[in-house]
Amino acid sequence: MIVLAHGIGGRSDLPVPLWLAVYAAAAAVVASFLVAVAFWPSPRLNQQPGRPLPAGLSRLADTPVTRGALRAVGVLAGAAFLVTAWAGPATSATNPAPTWFYVWFWVGLVPASVLFGPVWKLLNPLRAVTLLTGGRPLAGDRARRFAERAGYWPGVASLAAFLWLELVYTEPDSPRAVALFVSLYALVHLIAGLLCGPRWFDRGDGFEAYSNVLASLAPLGREPDGRRLVLRNPLAGLAALPAAAGLVAFVCLLLGSTAFDGLSRTTPWRLLVNGTSELAYLALGTIGLATSVAVVALIYHGALALTRPYLADRERSLPMAFAHTLVPIAVGYTVAHYFSLVVFQGQAGALLATDPLGLGWDVLGTAGARIDYTVISTRAIALVQVGAIVAGHMVGVVAAHDRAVALLTRRHNRRGQYPLLAAMVAYTSAGIALLVGT
């Protein structure tokens, strides 16, 4: 069975006591803030357009042949996945589809998007199908304008449905449950994409919106007119993340879901749900997931409410202005919570692919092979996980400082940053405690 409880099992895996790891991580976040205050007196990130790549390379990336090939790969991979999920063996122990979905696709979007940009926009088979209509919204300009006004909110709903399946549902590893979810998800977004046009997927499709948001950290970007690829400072790309309705909720959902993932592996939570009926288990899980997201959002909005008196422009929307600073934190949490899953369960995606339909094949010659659990030690996993959380918060602190020096009054610039710094320290400490606590 696929193991969807991400991360390591307990504090004993850390080479230092849990309390020391929490204090050290909080100190690292505070130290990054002090360094930024001392050596970063004015905003810099919006002044870095990037260095254009050679014109030939940019043209190659944008040719119809390249884009068509990537769309074809996406469509073929999607079709192969659905056939395997629906027609393959009924358990994740012998069907690779759940591993492909949760590990290769969901987790793989993170490094792919952070390194290379919005890759799912190029591979998304749902977008490819809607482009067959010429890219024109079948419902006219009114539907297109609706998609623009809705912003990330449809993506929030889409991603919340996926996270509920992964973290709350009692059989998330069932190939048929995965197949049904993906089929219904595809149907809903195909209809929306056809009615509203391909731009629906930018923010309406939860997975493509996820990839696009993470891509703001990629060293590869585009010039403002979108014509040429550039090499850029990832922090500059992060600062340029376009604001839109629902962006704050989208990022808080990502952070809150990883918090709930950690919470659901603690002893108190297990005692709470142990012995309950399936309906009660689902209800408690749904409440727990929603509460975790709400707590993350309340901490964020509460910190910015304390910052508001120090604004130079009191009419500015602070939650939207600082939303991008949560993105590297979300990346850090994702790496921390999924790293061990990728290292171990990710192997199953290749091993089981030798006979995806359970017909006795051995296409890859890996029949009978087993997951190698000795490829990395639990101590190394713990260090990577804690390091990812700390690094994500340090990058978030620097991004927040750059935005703060642009928006806060000069007289109270440092004091105005304290509430958000306190929130990030709280996120760091709670994140590590939930990740490796018991």
Side-chain angles (χ1 to χ4, degrees):
M1 177 176 288
I2 188 172
V3 181
L4 294 178
H6 319 305
I8 54 181
R11 68 185 67 187
S12 59
D13 294 319
L14 280 173
V16 296
L18 175 61
W19 67 266
L20 183 57
V22 171
Y23 282 132
V29 173
V30 173
S32 66
F33 168 75
L34 295 176
V35 171
V37 168
F39 299 101
W40 201 306
S42 59
R44 302 177 183 178
L45 299 180
N46 290 331
Q47 304 170 11
Q48 301 180 16
R51 177 178 298 179
L53 293 180
L57 186 59
S58 291
R59 285 195 297 270
L60 177 63
D62 289 327
T63 61
V65 173
T66 301
R67 291 184 174 273
L70 291 173
R71 289 170 188 151
V73 168
V75 170
L76 291 174
F81 163 78
L82 281 177
V83 169
T84 302
W86 278 116
T91 69
S92 60
T94 50
N95 190 320
T99 298
W100 291 347
F101 184 49
Y102 291 115
V103 183
W104 287 18
F105 171 63
W106 170 240
V107 184
L109 276 180
V110 178
S113 302
V114 169
L115 291 175
F116 304 111
V119 292
W120 192 237
K121 186 172 185 176
L122 300 174
L123 293 167
N124 190 346
L126 305 181
R127 177 185 283 271
V129 172
T130 61
L131 288 173
L132 296 177
T133 66
R136 293 182 297 273
L138 298 182
D141 288 341
R142 180 177 298 181
R144 178 181 55 80
R145 289 193 295 270
F146 163 77
E148 292 175 354
R149 289 194 302 270
Y152 285 94
W153 285 112
V156 171
S158 300
L159 209 57
F162 163 75
L163 292 168
W164 186 90
L165 171 71
E166 183 198 22
L167 301 175
V168 177
Y169 185 56
T170 53
E171 297 183 69
D173 63 315
S174 165
R176 304 300 181 258
V178 169
L180 180 61
F181 172 83
V182 173
S183 298
L184 293 176
Y185 185 98
L187 178 62
V188 169
H189 285 285
L190 270 177
I191 294 173
L194 289 170
L195 292 176
C196 301
R199 292 192 64 180
W200 165 265
F201 297 100
D202 291 342
R203 294 165 181 167
D205 176 354
F207 297 118
E208 187 168 318
Y210 182 52
S211 176
N212 293 344
V213 168
L214 296 180
S216 64
L217 276 168
L220 281 175
R222 288 189 178 274
E223 293 179 328
D225 59 10
R227 293 183 180 179
R228 293 184 63 179
L229 290 172
V230 298
L231 280 176
R232 65 186 184 185
N233 178 349
L235 285 175
L238 179 65
L241 178 65
L247 176 59
V248 176
F250 190 85
V251 184
C252 287
L253 174 63
L254 295 175
L255 296 180
S257 65
T258 54
F260 174 70
D261 174 43
L263 174 66
S264 65
R265 293 183 297 108
T266 62
T267 299
W269 181 266
R270 289 171 178 167
L271 292 175
L272 176 65
V273 300
N274 187 38
T276 60
S277 66
E278 182 175 359
L279 182 60
Y281 180 89
L282 294 176
L284 288 171
T286 303
I287 294 171
L289 177 59
T291 302
S292 298
V293 175
V295 168
V296 167
L298 285 172
I299 292 174
Y300 176 70
H301 284 276
L304 292 180
L306 296 174
T307 298
R308 177 163 293 282
Y310 306 106
L311 267 181
D313 177 10
R314 297 293 181 87
E315 301 300 318
R316 184 71 181 250
S317 171
L318 274 185
M320 194 68 72
F322 284 89
H324 68 289
T325 67
L326 298 180
V327 175
I329 299 174
V331 172
Y333 277 171
T334 301
V335 171
H337 282 257
Y338 290 93
F339 180 69
S340 61
L341 186 76
V342 171
V343 171
F344 299 128
Q345 187 62 36
Q347 299 175 45
L351 298 178
L352 297 178
T354 196
D355 185 21
L357 300 180
L359 300 177
W361 300 345
D362 190 12
V363 178
L364 303 178
T366 58
R370 295 289 183 265
I371 294 174
D372 182 4
Y373 289 101
T374 66
V375 68
I376 190 171
S377 69
T378 55
R379 175 171 294 190
I381 291 174
L383 290 174
V384 169
Q385 293 174 314
V386 172
I389 290 178
V390 175
H393 282 86
M394 292 173 68
V395 174
V397 164
V398 173
H401 172 74
D402 183 81
R403 184 57 53 88
V405 294
L407 298 182
L408 304 184
T409 61
R410 183 178 297 273
R411 179 181 178 185
H412 297 113
N413 189 275
R414 181 182 299 185
R415 183 182 301 175
Q417 296 183 61
Y418 290 159
L420 192 55
L421 173 64
M424 291 193 175
V425 169
Y427 287 155
T428 306
S429 303
I432 293 176
L434 287 174
L435 181 70
V436 302
T438 56

